[in-house]
Amino acid sequence: MAAKRESGSGGGSILQFAPFQSSVDEGFWHRLSSLKLNKLGIDESPIPITGSYAPCSHLQVSNHLSLLTESLPSDSDEQSSTAEISRGSRNKCTVPGTLYNSNTLESFYTIDKQSLLKQEAKKIWEDIHSGKAVEDSTVLSRFLVISFADLKKWSFHYWFAFPALVLDPPATVVDLKPASLWFSSQEAESVSAACSDWRNSNLTADVPYFLLTIAPNSRATIRHLKDWEACEGDGQKLLFGFYDPCHLQNHPGWPLRNFLALILTRWKLKSVLFLCYRENRGFTDLGLSLVGEALITVPQGWGDHQCVPNAVGWELNKGRKVPRCISLAKSMDPTRLAISAADLNLKLMRWRQLPSLNLDILSSRKCLLLGAGTLGCQVARMLMAWGVRKITLLDNGRVAMSNPLRQSLYTLDDCLNGGDFKAMAAVKSLERIFPAVAAEGVVMAIPMPGHPVPCQEEDSVLDDCRRLTDLILSHDAIFLLTDTRESRWLPTLLCANTNKITITAALGFDSFLVMRHGPGPFSITHDVKTEAVNGLSADMDNLGLNNRDGGQRLGCYFCNDVVAPTDSTANRTLDQQCTVTRPGLAPIASALAVELFIGVLHHPKGIYAGAEFANSIDSGSSEQPLGILPHQIRGSLSQFSQMTLVGHSSNSCTACCSTVVSEYRKRGMEFILQAINHPTYLEDLTGLTELKKSANSFHVDWDYESDNEDDCVEI
């Protein structure tokens, strides 16, 4: 800015100052976004931050006050609520600041900026009077920022203020000139050496205000402001030095304003020699540095501690009093932008509705989807929407021309040339939708009871069994989304054995079932192998029906059946071969399946949680932020109805009872092969064969000769 040669009260021209300029690193906005989403929410409380600047180091460029990533406090609860402060860097003089982040753009524009500026100026004024500014001179450069973060568009509105106490009447300057012309050659050499020592010391490199004394023998010494008494009246030249970020030859930088206020208030000096310390490429440059004499008239009321002077300091934007705006959307990596956008809705949930929502659990859980058809496609997308990032899809089918309309992950291109494998096509589609997903496709058929295996194929089928076992062991939750009943048997058995979270979704034409399986029968025992080897008693059967908390164990998909799963695919007409359902059914069932899974993850009892019902005293819905956690949800589109049911475990279940799981643990793959090849084996093992024989042997005799008005039924 051009100097105005107006006459001041003490002669000379009015002392004018080059304003501070701000610079904000992208990392600052990224951390603010994270802090806003993960910790602050709608809290608009002021945030302590730190900025940094350094002496001018270039002939034609001023240094800025910079905000970096570490200028903000971390969003981690374990970290301090204050910004990280590093000391001792010659390139970064750290100064305190305050950030006021608004929740809406409207509140950002209507915030009382003058009041905020006055508040920060009052802090500086109090630090001057208390002596804190002498002990820690960085508080003289205190600053503030108001901002609004639009996290949907990744744009940030902000405005800096560098509060400066106003001297009225203003100070005047006499004989402002390059320091190299003010000092003698001997003094200049000594001053350069003293400044270099000060700047190279870890103890003083980032102390921006100092005292410079020059003895009669031209020896220069730099001291802290608190050493003022040692410098006073000893016959030496005394200059008040400061790190000047400005490069202009006619004006000192903004930090001198509050420095003069300190000098006038603390030491009552009306004539001040000042040194604007500047560098060139990291070395002291007395040709660029300035020395001048400021003449100060004590403003009216300045001696009253309670009377805070007026303040100025809002940064101009291209000469106008308007805020700045920066958009990071174009400069961000698309994948990183996608991750931030995907997490936005989930993190916003925690602001008001679900403070206990655990996003870390969701992102770390590995989900295995058995079936990549109508249900599998919908479930995969719902899981991603909830923040699940690790998804494996298993299917051995190919994409048919009839699939894309109902199976949302496929397009016509996936159907060409005989069709791509569904599992692999689904993974590619998920990665296109959200590049950060860790998706894997597995092309494999699930071995099924009732589908006998020829001898030459036994090894291949057993390999599939082992592979499925490994997949279930390596995942946290299993979704059973296949289109036949028997294909769910082996996964149900393996999940019961390993006590995995298991969610089933099944469709009819206009009805659906969504349920979570209960824990396995041996989830509360400590030495299952020994008990299995020694045989299972009736007590063990009862044990397998109970949870570890003593409550009755919830059943699996097969617990209410009185027949073992058999081949349901043979001799079927075209409408029976295809999954013929009303189009709206799969999205409803898929959404409920995923919501049920999320409920299990956030329930304190997890997989062991009992069945909960709406309006039930024992439902616990008032305590759980996600509401009740049912066992089964059955719905009908024809009636537009939905109900929650509970089915407890059965000691004759062909998939999860203690007898079946024990037999599997004893015999392993041999047991599975027998169950596959012999349709009645599971019924014989679990006692269902005997149960059906007993039911068929029941006789009902009616005694018509009785004169009693009440007929008797004998069974």
Side-chain angles (χ1 to χ4, degrees):
M1 59 189 296
K4 296 180 180 179
R5 291 296 178 181
E6 299 177 6
S7 177
S9 59
S13 60
I14 292 177
L15 182 58
Q16 294 184 311
F17 310 88
F20 246 135
Q21 296 177 343
S22 64
S23 173
V24 187
D25 183 75
E26 284 190 11
F28 177 87
W29 300 121
H30 286 295
R31 177 169 284 192
L32 176 60
S33 303
S34 178
L35 192 66
K36 175 74 173 172
L37 289 172
N38 299 325
K39 191 172 183 180
L40 298 178
I42 58 174
D43 185 3
E44 290 187 330
S45 302
I47 306 168
I49 61 176
T50 60
S52 61
Y53 71 96
C56 173
S57 58
H58 195 279
L59 292 173
Q60 297 180 336
V61 180
S62 296
N63 272 339
H64 296 180
L65 186 136
S66 301
L67 298 185
L68 307 174
T69 302
E70 58 268 25
S71 297
L72 277 165
S74 170
D75 61 357
S76 172
D77 292 334
E78 291 77 15
Q79 297 292 328
S80 169
S81 60
T82 58
E84 304 163 14
I85 300 177
S86 59
R87 295 289 187 182
S89 171
R90 61 175 289 119
N91 299 316
K92 191 167 64 173
C93 175
T94 304
V95 294
T98 305
L99 173 67
Y100 297 86
N101 188 60
S102 301
N103 282 324
T104 65
L105 186 60
E106 290 76 13
S107 62
F108 168 78
Y109 276 106
T110 58
I111 194 169
D112 190 345
K113 293 185 287 296
Q114 194 57 37
S115 176
L116 291 181
L117 188 66
K118 189 78 171 179
Q119 289 178 26
E120 297 304 309
K122 183 179 180 181
K123 295 177 184 177
I124 297 174
W125 183 245
E126 291 175 346
D127 289 340
I128 289 174
H129 278 272
S130 68
K132 181 178 179 181
V134 175
E135 295 293 329
D136 180 11
S137 58
T138 60
V139 299
L140 292 175
S141 299
R142 188 187 298 273
F143 67 97
L144 72 93
V145 186
I146 62 173
S147 66
F148 167 67
D150 187 339
L151 301 184
K152 294 183 71 175
K153 299 179 180 178
W154 275 93
S155 62
F156 302 87
H157 301 257
Y158 66 98
W159 203 339
F160 273 78
F162 305 99
L165 302 174
V166 175
L167 292 171
D168 188 16
T172 58
V173 62
V174 179
D175 200 22
L176 181 66
K177 64 177 65 175
S180 59
L181 300 179
W182 198 90
F183 296 117
S184 68
S185 59
Q186 288 183 327
E187 289 174 340
E189 183 179 351
S190 183
V191 168
S192 295
C195 289
S196 296
D197 291 342
W198 180 268
R199 290 284 288 149
N200 290 328
S201 170
N202 289 334
L203 299 177
T204 57
D206 59 353
V207 178
Y209 299 90
F210 53 88
L211 300 174
L212 172 63
T213 60
I214 303 176
N217 62 358
S218 300
R219 179 179 175 82
T221 305
I222 297 182
R223 303 173 185 268
H224 289 276
L225 296 184
K226 62 184 178 181
D227 297 328
W228 156 257
E229 287 75 10
C231 303
E232 186 180 13
D234 58 2
Q236 303 182 100
K237 293 180 182 178
L238 175 62
L239 290 87
F240 292 85
F242 69 99
Y243 294 168
D244 190 353
C246 175
H247 77 283
L248 299 177
Q249 285 294 306
N250 297 323
H251 302 285
W254 199 255
L256 180 58
R257 297 196 67 145
N258 290 332
F259 197 16
L260 292 178
L262 169 68
I263 295 169
L264 175 62
T265 304
R266 295 290 296 180
W267 300 307
K268 314 300 182 185
L269 299 182
K270 298 180 182 178
S271 175
V272 178
L273 286 174
F274 60 85
L275 168 66
C276 304
Y277 175 78
R278 301 172 179 176
E279 296 178 341
N280 187 10
R281 304 185 187 278
F283 297 97
T284 302
D285 188 339
L286 295 184
L288 185 59
S289 300
L290 301 176
V291 172
E293 181 182 2
L295 302 179
I296 309 173
T297 301
V298 179
Q300 185 176 0
W302 195 267
D304 185 0
H305 180 197
Q306 302 302 321
C307 183
V308 181
N310 291 329
V312 294
W314 285 104
E315 184 180 22
L316 298 181
N317 181 9
K318 298 179 181 179
R320 301 167 57 207
K321 292 183 178 180
V322 293
R324 301 170 188 266
C325 181
I326 182 173
S327 175
L328 301 185
K330 293 183 179 179
S331 64
M332 288 182 63
D333 174 68
T335 299
R336 184 176 180 182
L337 190 60
I339 294 173
S340 299
D343 290 342
L344 177 63
N345 187 58
L346 296 173
K347 291 181 178 180
L348 292 180
M349 288 183 186
R350 301 197 302 188
W351 285 14
R352 299 177 190 267
Q353 305 297 333
L354 291 173
S356 60
L357 184 64
N358 193 328
L359 300 184
D360 292 335
I361 288 181
L362 295 172
S363 62
S364 63
R365 290 298 179 264
K366 297 179 65 177
C367 294
L368 174 62
L369 279 54
L370 302 182
T374 309
L375 289 169
C377 290
Q378 295 287 351
V379 167
R381 297 199 64 155
M382 293 292 177
L383 286 173
M384 287 203 305
W386 262 110
V388 176
R389 299 289 177 257
K390 300 172 183 177
I391 301 173
T392 302
L393 296 107
L394 184 150
D395 200 300
N396 73 326
R398 292 181 179 270
V399 183
M401 286 289 183
S402 60
N403 293 153
L405 288 177
R406 298 192 182 210
Q407 300 179 13
S408 59
L409 293 181
Y410 308 127
T411 65
L412 180 63
D413 289 343
D414 299 317
C415 309
L416 304 179
N417 302 316
D420 296 335
F421 282 110
K422 286 186 174 182
M424 311 313 294
V427 168
K428 292 180 181 178
S429 181
L430 292 177
E431 291 173 344
R432 285 195 299 269
I433 294 168
F434 185 61
V437 68
E440 180 184 357
V442 177
V443 179
M444 191 189 88
I446 299 175
M448 298 177 284
H451 294 248
V453 179
C455 294
Q456 63 271 21
E457 297 180 11
E458 284 186 1
D459 290 341
S460 175
V461 170
L462 291 178
D463 285 342
D464 288 341
C465 292
R466 296 185 186 96
R467 189 178 183 189
L468 181 61
T469 302
D470 292 339
L471 284 170
I472 289 176
L473 283 172
S474 62
H475 287 74
D476 302 297
I478 319 300
F479 287 80
L480 307 187
L481 310 170
T482 54
D483 53 6
T484 63
R485 178 170 170 266
E486 61 267 28
S487 60
R488 302 168 191 258
W489 174 80
L490 181 55
T492 299
L493 167 63
L494 298 177
C495 289
N497 180 54
T498 53
N499 212 35
K500 296 287 184 177
I501 297 175
T502 311
I503 307 293
T504 284
L507 304 177
F509 168 67
D510 58 7
S511 60
F512 66 84
L513 164 68
V514 175
M515 66 178 293
R516 59 185 174 100
H517 294 199
F522 300 126
S523 59
I524 61 171
T525 61
H526 300 287
D527 192 1
V528 177
K529 284 190 176 181
T530 302
E531 292 164 342
V533 170
N534 293 336
L536 294 173
S537 63
D539 290 338
M540 179 57 67
D541 286 335
N542 292 331
L543 182 64
L545 297 176
N546 296 329
N547 274 335
R548 62 182 180 183
D549 59 1
Q552 193 167 359
R553 185 168 63 88
L554 295 179
C556 74
Y557 179 70
F558 295 92
C559 276
N560 290 334
D561 292 342
V562 293
V563 293
T566 56
D567 186 356
S568 62
T569 62
N571 195 29
R572 295 202 301 182
T573 60
L574 181 61
D575 63 315
Q576 294 171 328
Q577 295 173 29
C578 300
T579 305
V580 179
T581 65
R582 290 174 62 165
L585 207 62
I588 296 173
S590 301
L592 290 173
V594 174
E595 294 293 329
L596 200 57
F597 165 63
I598 302 301
V600 173
L601 286 185
H602 284 80
H603 197 285
K605 294 184 179 179
I607 193 175
Y608 300 98
E612 297 173 351
F613 298 90
N615 303 319
S616 171
I617 298 177
D618 299 327
S619 69
S621 59
S622 60
E623 300 177 3
Q624 303 305 322
L626 289 172
I628 67 169
L629 185 61
H631 176 222
Q632 299 181 19
I633 307 165
R634 293 179 181 265
S636 169
L637 272 183
S638 62
Q639 301 295 324
F640 282 92
S641 64
Q642 184 174 294
M643 56 184 174
T644 55
L645 304 172
V646 60
H648 294 294
S649 59
S650 166
N651 58 7
S652 298
C653 176
T654 57
C656 79
C657 73
S658 56
T659 304
V660 171
V661 176
S662 263
E663 196 68 15
Y664 166 69
R665 290 187 174 187
K666 283 191 295 184
R667 299 175 56 206
M669 294 299 133
E670 180 187 353
F671 163 76
I672 293 177
L673 199 59
Q674 187 171 357
I676 291 174
N677 288 330
H678 298 84
T680 63
Y681 171 65
L682 290 174
E683 294 182 1
D684 296 340
L685 177 66
T686 57
L688 287 177
T689 302
E690 291 299 322
L691 180 64
K692 288 191 286 186
K693 287 181 180 179
S694 299
N696 292 333
S697 65
F698 288 162
H699 296 286
V700 179
D701 295 327
W702 296 92
D703 185 1
Y704 293 102
E705 297 179 358
S706 172
D707 295 331
N708 195 321
E709 294 181 0
D710 297 327
D711 293 339
C712 291
V713 179
E714 295 183 0
I715 298 179

